[in-house]
Amino acid sequence: MGSVEEHSSLLEDGLIQQDESNVYTGDGSVDINGNPVLKQKTGNWKACPFILGTECCERLAYYGIATNLVTYLTKKLHEGNVSAARNVTTWSGTCYLTPLIGAVLADTCWGRYWTIATFSSIYFIGMCALTLSASIPALKPAECVGSLCPPATPAQYAVFFFGLYLIALGTGGIKPCVSSFGADQFDDTDPKERVKKGSFFNWFYFSINIGALVSSSFLVYIQDNAGWGLGFGIPALFMGIAILSFFSGTPLYRFQRPGGSPITRMCQVLVASFHKWNLEVPLDSSLLYETQDKHSAIEGSRKLEHSDELKCLDKAAVLSEAEMKSEDFHNPWRLCTVTQVEELKILIRMFPIWATGIVFSAVYAQMSTMFVEQGMLMDTTIGSFTIPPASLSSFDVVSVICWVPIYDRIVVPIARKFTGKERGFSDLQRMGIGLFISVLSMTAAALVEIKRLQLAKELGLAGEAVAVPLSIFWQIPQYMLVGASEVFTFIGQMEFFYEESPDAMRSLCSALSLLTTSLGNYLSSFILTMVTYFTTTGGKPGWIPDNLNEGHLDYFFWLLAGLSVLNMLVYVFCARKYKKKAS
């Protein structure tokens, strides 16, 4: 039957409660037993410390492995530089692909809570296996004798990579769910709680970087000086603490019911619209099929209002004469509800915004690659102390830790006075500001490299792969600017994909936002490959030779700055055209 429901974007109960004294949440959330939850006793900031603590400890565990992994592979497993780098990037890429698995399970059947709980256990087992591989003599290769380094045996490799890829699988259930689960603790139908949700995303990212800061400083020192068994054991311990923290908050949590497979629902819309390609879409959208019930046909999702875009997909909700005569509306592969069609429309509308995040992630990837290589040929000494070039990434973390409270407590209140928006900037505006700052970070890196190359030429060091007398601390601005851009773009992305995604597809949309990080790394590798190919023709050293003193890394940074400008312009165009989900 055609829908004649209310004219709001979220038709079930309205988005904003008229009676704020209601003792139960209005967004359909339940407790762990499936019963309606009391607003005053659950969720909100009461539940968030457990979730933020979980994320902080989990990220500490993750970065405790990832930050120094290439060192372990080369120094302890005796791999070559290329092989070690390839193993690290492959594993890192896998960590950002597995969230698609966890997201589908969370949205389809398990829900976010049980997905996090299950995959955290897998994660912890992987951490323990990794710790054992670095602690038990039989599971690690013998130490080098002079220049002779015995390779790891197949069994030693098997135990190490078994643990490593269990961790990658474990991250797949946590990454796409924990931020959405935290946001679920705030009732969309309560105006006051909606404002608090914006602060939650800021402090969620703050927690991530607290964990990263401890890992990039304390844990790296432990691994290099006290041994890898302890260096991997401490992250394993913190992963155990993360699990305890998560389960401790169970009585306070609010839960959203899983709505079934989002991928299946999307396929049903495509099949149904193709099957009815010859039918006309009625001008009156109320004639399109929608359930007459108060609730959506999709478990855990409120009804969505019809939009006028992508009308070809509306054919999936057109009632054929045969269906009207038989009154058989139960085959979703032939007839879909308006809400189901709108789910797919929302994802398609979000796609251009999502795609612009890939170039930003490519810029972000330079911190662990080109920024480090640039720092290796700068003055890394302070008196008798030598600074590891990779440790400057700590300034990125410090920048984030400083910017989050500044943004939340100072920038938002000031911006709110000018924009009238409850969160100061819209999530689209926030992402755009971050993209602009990322251009500045690449510009700063290019200017430092120009000065470094100028000194190398003046001192006659262009032909030698040696450091020039330019302090590595000149890299601090580029790291700090990347950190500032993260606070705007990455946190804005989390808000955008949570707020704009359909209720029953939030984990999947969070996973898609994480996918930009993986694709950004792949894009960075592709650009490097193309730059090397085109700049080394005719026997030229190219922009990025083994000896950077005779190359032009500054050209590479200018290239990324130019791509970032183009990406920002595309983003501005797409953001201006984007039609937000009505609220």
Side-chain angles (χ1 to χ4, degrees):
M1 298 292 291
S3 170
V4 288
E5 303 294 324
E6 304 97 320
H7 296 289
S8 64
S9 63
L10 300 172
L11 301 180
E12 179 190 312
D13 298 333
L15 179 61
I16 306 300
Q17 288 181 3
Q18 299 302 313
D19 180 13
E20 291 187 19
S21 64
N22 195 332
V23 294
Y24 295 104
T25 57
D27 61 357
S29 55
V30 296
D31 63 18
I32 194 168
N33 297 314
N35 301 315
V37 290
L38 295 170
K39 289 183 66 173
Q40 297 302 318
K41 294 186 176 181
T42 60
N44 216 316
W45 282 111
K46 290 187 291 294
C48 288
F50 299 97
I51 298 171
L52 296 177
T54 298
E55 180 64 9
C56 181
C57 291
E58 184 274 325
R59 288 290 87 187
L60 186 151
Y62 174 81
Y63 287 115
I65 302 301
T67 303
N68 218 17
L69 181 59
V70 70
T71 304
Y72 183 81
L73 290 171
T74 54
K75 292 187 176 181
K76 296 300 178 180
L77 290 187
H78 309 146
E79 288 193 348
N81 288 333
V82 174
S83 176
R86 184 168 57 242
N87 279 325
V88 171
T89 54
T90 301
W91 175 74
S92 180
T94 304
C95 288
Y96 284 94
L97 288 175
T98 53
L100 292 174
I101 299 172
V104 171
L105 287 172
D107 285 339
T108 301
C109 52
W110 288 2
R112 285 184 266 279
Y113 175 85
W114 288 112
T115 302
I116 294 170
T118 302
F119 280 80
S120 293
S121 302
I122 296 172
Y123 198 131
F124 183 66
I125 294 170
M127 294 293 298
C128 291
L130 206 63
T131 302
L132 291 175
S133 74
S135 304
I136 299 175
L139 296 179
K140 56 183 180 180
E143 295 292 331
C144 295
V145 179
S147 60
L148 182 63
C149 296
T153 65
Q156 290 167 343
Y157 267 122
V159 173
F160 176 78
F161 283 103
F162 173 74
L164 200 62
Y165 277 88
L166 274 185
I167 293 170
L169 179 60
T171 62
I174 299 173
K175 281 178 179 287
C177 297
V178 69
S179 62
S180 296
F181 186 67
D184 287 344
Q185 307 310 309
F186 300 91
D187 187 355
D188 270 338
T189 67
D190 186 320
K192 294 179 180 178
E193 290 197 15
R194 280 170 60 83
V195 174
K196 293 177 182 178
K197 186 185 293 184
S199 290
F200 167 77
F201 285 112
N202 291 330
W203 293 105
F204 178 82
Y205 205 73
F206 181 86
S207 300
I208 290 175
N209 282 273
I210 288 293
L213 180 62
V214 174
S215 296
S216 62
S217 53
F218 172 70
L219 284 180
V220 168
Y221 176 84
I222 292 293
Q223 289 164 353
D224 287 347
N225 296 278
W228 289 89
L230 183 61
F232 286 161
I234 293 174
L237 174 64
F238 273 93
M239 190 60 219
I241 295 173
I243 295 172
L244 290 175
S245 174
F246 182 71
F247 281 117
S248 297
T250 300
L252 297 174
Y253 293 151
R254 297 173 183 174
F255 303 80
Q256 295 290 338
R257 295 186 179 96
S261 172
I263 296 176
T264 299
R265 291 199 302 275
M266 288 187 285
C267 291
Q268 287 170 342
V269 172
L270 294 173
V271 170
S273 59
F274 179 78
H275 182 72
K276 295 180 176 179
W277 67 274
N278 59 336
L279 296 183
E280 291 292 330
V281 178
L283 295 177
D284 185 357
S285 62
S286 67
L287 298 177
L288 296 173
Y289 176 68
E290 181 61 278
T291 61
Q292 290 295 320
D293 299 332
K294 178 182 178 181
H295 300 285
S296 166
I298 303 167
E299 185 72 26
S301 177
R302 290 162 288 184
K303 289 182 178 179
L304 295 169
E305 186 182 48
H306 174 264
S307 64
D308 293 329
E309 298 173 316
L310 301 167
K311 286 184 175 293
C312 59
L313 296 177
D314 288 337
K315 293 179 183 290
V318 174
L319 288 159
S320 66
E321 290 185 13
E323 287 165 337
M324 286 189 286
K325 287 179 181 179
S326 66
E327 295 189 355
D328 181 10
F329 312 127
H330 302 296
N331 185 354
W333 294 96
R334 289 293 180 266
L335 181 65
C336 303
T337 64
V338 169
T339 295
Q340 190 173 340
V341 172
E342 289 303 316
E343 278 190 332
L344 181 56
K345 287 185 180 181
I346 287 171
L347 283 187
I348 294 173
R349 287 203 302 267
M350 288 195 298
F351 179 78
I353 303 295
W354 171 84
T356 56
I358 297 173
V359 173
F360 176 80
S361 294
V363 169
Y364 178 76
Q366 303 314 307
M367 283 199 305
S368 58
T369 53
M370 292 299 105
F371 283 12
V372 177
E373 293 195 15
Q374 182 187 43
M376 287 177 177
L377 293 182
M378 299 176 72
D379 183 7
T380 59
T381 59
I382 300 181
S384 60
F385 184 73
T386 300
I387 304 166
S391 68
L392 258 72
S393 63
S394 297
F395 287 99
D396 163 75
V397 179
V398 169
S399 178
V400 171
I401 291 173
C402 292
W403 266 104
V404 166
I406 290 172
Y407 182 87
D408 197 59
R409 302 302 183 190
I410 300 175
V411 175
V412 169
I414 293 174
R416 188 183 292 140
K417 294 179 181 179
F418 293 95
T419 65
K421 299 181 185 295
E422 58 187 17
R423 297 180 186 174
F425 297 107
S426 69
D427 40 24
L428 289 173
Q429 290 172 334
R430 184 172 185 171
M431 286 189 283
I433 294 170
L435 293 180
F436 173 73
I437 297 174
S438 72
V439 175
L440 300 182
S441 69
M442 286 296 99
T443 302
L447 293 175
V448 168
E449 184 63 11
I450 289 173
K451 179 62 177 177
R452 198 192 67 79
L453 289 174
Q454 181 182 345
L455 279 174
K457 186 176 181 180
E458 290 174 355
L459 298 173
L461 302 175
E464 304 176 54
V466 295
V468 301
L470 180 67
S471 174
I472 194 171
F473 287 118
W474 282 102
Q475 284 191 311
I476 290 177
Q478 63 206 55
Y479 279 102
M480 297 288 282
L481 285 168
V482 171
S485 67
E486 285 180 67
V487 171
F488 285 89
T489 300
F490 278 154
I491 301 178
Q493 269 187 349
M494 285 195 289
E495 286 189 66
F496 175 77
F497 282 104
Y498 183 87
E499 294 290 345
E500 292 300 304
S501 63
D503 292 340
M505 300 175 73
R506 279 175 169 162
S507 296
L508 178 62
C509 289
S510 293
L512 290 175
S513 71
L514 291 168
L515 187 61
T516 60
T517 302
S518 179
L519 296 178
N521 277 279
Y522 295 144
L523 175 62
S524 177
S525 297
F526 175 76
I527 293 172
L528 279 169
T529 302
M530 291 296 99
V531 163
T532 301
Y533 176 79
F534 286 109
T535 62
T536 55
T537 55
K540 297 176 183 177
W543 288 1
I544 312 173
D546 290 337
N547 175 16
L548 290 180
N549 286 342
E550 61 180 5
H552 269 291
L553 184 57
D554 55 327
Y555 291 175
F556 176 74
F557 289 142
W558 285 123
L559 174 62
L560 283 179
L563 288 174
S564 297
V565 169
L566 291 176
N567 183 62
M568 183 177 64
L569 294 175
V570 171
Y571 172 83
V572 170
F573 174 79
C574 294
R576 289 173 65 89
K577 299 282 287 184
Y578 183 79
K579 182 180 179 182
K580 296 197 72 169
K581 189 173 72 173
S583 58

